[in-house]
Amino acid sequence: MLITRIITAVVLLVVLLAVLFGGYYPAFAAVVLLFLTAAVTESFQLFKSSRKQAFLVALFWSAAFAYAFLYKDNSAVKFWFGLSTLLWLLRFVPALKTGLPPPEGGRNTMLATMYAISIVACFAAIVLFFKHSAVYLLSVMALVWIADIGAYFSGKAFGKRKLAPTISPGKSWEGAIGGGIAVLVLSSLLIMFAGPLLADTFPVHLHAKLGWGGALAVLVVLVAASVVGDLVESQLKRRAGVKDSSNLLPGHGGVLDRIDALVPVMPLAALIYTGML
C-alpha cells in the first residue's frame, strides 16, 4: 500500500509540475476539467446519487465551468468566491456541530448543490491564481499542504485532545495548532527571506498589503478553513459509510480526498486576493 501511495503521489506531482510550468494553457485547462469532473462526481456520490447520475451531473457542471471560467474572462468570478465563503460560514461550519440532514430529500439535494458550488469556486480560484503565475498558485496551495503535514506530525507527537471525535477521531487540537504554527513559521521565513523567484507569492503579497498583523491573521483563518474542509468531507464520508470518496487514485482514495481542505481555502484566498488588487 505504501509503495502504491508513493508511486501515485510521484505521478501526480510530475503531472502537476509539467502542466503548471509547461506553458501550454490547453493542457492546464484539460487537467482542471478532469479533476473538477472527478471531484463533483465523487461529491454527488457521497450525497447518495448513483454513479451514473453523479457523473452526468458533473459533466454538466464541468461544461458550464469550462465556458464561464476557461473560455470566457468571467468578470463575476468574485461573486463565486464570496458565495462559497458564505456557504461555508453559514451552512458547512454549523453542520460540524448540528450534523447533516438525512441522505435523501430536498435538504440533502440542496446541501449537495451547495457543496458542488464550493468545488466549482475552488477550481475557479485555481484558474485565477494560475493566470497570475504558477508559482503564485503553488504558494496558496502549499499553505494547505504545510498545515496538513504539520498537523500530522504534531498530532503524532503531542495529540491528546480530540478535535472532532465523532467525525474524525484521529485529529487532535494539538495537531491542528501544530499545523497552524508550521504555516506561520514557514510563511514568515518566506516573507523575510524571499528571493526574486519567490517575491511574488501569496504570503509576501499579504504582508505587503496588510503588514505583519494582517498577514498572520489571514493565514490563521486560512489554516482554520483547511481544517474545516477536511472535517466536512470526513463527515460526509462517515454519513455515506465509506472510507474514501472513490478509488480513482490508488493508495490515496479519490480526488475529493486530496482536495477536501482546498475546497473552502482557495475561494477564500481568492476573495482576499481580489480585494487586495
Side-chain angles (χ1 to χ4, degrees):
M1 175 64 78
L2 179 59
I3 295 298
T4 302
R5 187 178 180 87
I6 292 172
I7 292 173
T8 302
V10 170
V11 171
L12 287 174
L13 180 62
V14 170
V15 171
L16 176 65
L17 293 178
V19 167
L20 291 182
F21 294 99
Y24 187 56
Y25 185 74
F28 168 77
V31 170
V32 165
L33 287 177
L34 179 64
F35 277 79
L36 172 65
T37 302
V40 175
T41 299
E42 292 169 3
S43 75
F44 275 101
Q45 285 183 257
L46 289 180
F47 283 94
K48 292 300 185 179
S49 295
S50 68
R51 180 174 299 181
K52 181 179 179 180
Q53 182 184 33
F55 179 66
L56 291 176
V57 171
L59 285 180
F60 171 80
W61 282 76
S62 297
F65 179 92
Y67 179 76
F69 300 109
L70 294 173
Y71 175 70
K72 295 186 64 122
D73 185 12
N74 193 324
S75 60
V77 67
K78 192 173 180 179
F79 164 80
W80 290 90
F81 303 147
L83 177 61
S84 173
T85 300
L86 280 176
L87 290 177
W88 280 92
L89 283 173
L90 300 179
R91 186 62 185 93
F92 292 111
V93 172
L96 293 176
K97 183 174 180 62
T98 62
L100 298 171
E104 65 274 327
R107 291 174 61 208
N108 182 66
T109 301
M110 183 175 294
L111 195 65
T113 303
M114 291 178 182
Y115 196 67
I117 287 172
S118 68
I119 294 174
V120 167
C122 172
F123 280 89
I126 288 172
V127 172
L128 175 75
F129 288 132
F130 176 77
K131 288 180 177 178
H132 184 120
S133 77
V135 171
Y136 201 91
L137 169 60
L138 287 174
S139 75
V140 183
M141 299 176 79
L143 298 175
V144 173
W145 300 334
I146 292 168
D148 186 53
I149 294 170
Y152 175 81
F153 286 106
S154 297
K156 284 286 186 182
F158 309 110
K160 292 181 178 179
R161 294 175 295 172
K162 300 298 183 182
L163 180 63
T166 61
I167 297 174
S168 186
K171 292 182 173 59
S172 66
W173 280 103
E174 291 82 1
I177 293 169
I181 292 173
V183 168
L184 293 180
V185 170
L186 291 177
S187 295
S188 297
L189 291 173
L190 175 63
I191 291 168
M192 291 187 292
F193 302 111
L197 179 63
L198 298 177
D200 187 26
T201 51
F202 186 72
V204 175
H205 191 185
L206 281 177
H207 175 258
K209 294 289 185 178
L210 304 176
W212 278 107
L216 296 180
V218 168
L219 292 172
V220 168
V221 171
L222 293 178
V223 170
S226 75
V227 174
V228 170
D230 191 301
L231 288 175
V232 166
E233 201 232 359
S234 295
Q235 189 179 33
L236 290 171
K237 288 189 294 186
R238 184 170 289 272
R239 188 188 67 164
V242 297
K243 181 178 181 293
D244 300 313
S245 59
S246 78
N247 58 0
L248 187 62
L249 304 175
H252 289 266
V255 170
L256 200 55
D257 295 319
R258 296 301 91 210
I259 69 164
D260 53 358
L262 291 170
V263 173
V265 170
M266 298 304 288
L268 177 57
L271 188 65
I272 295 166
Y273 166 82
T274 54
M276 294 190 303
L277 290 180

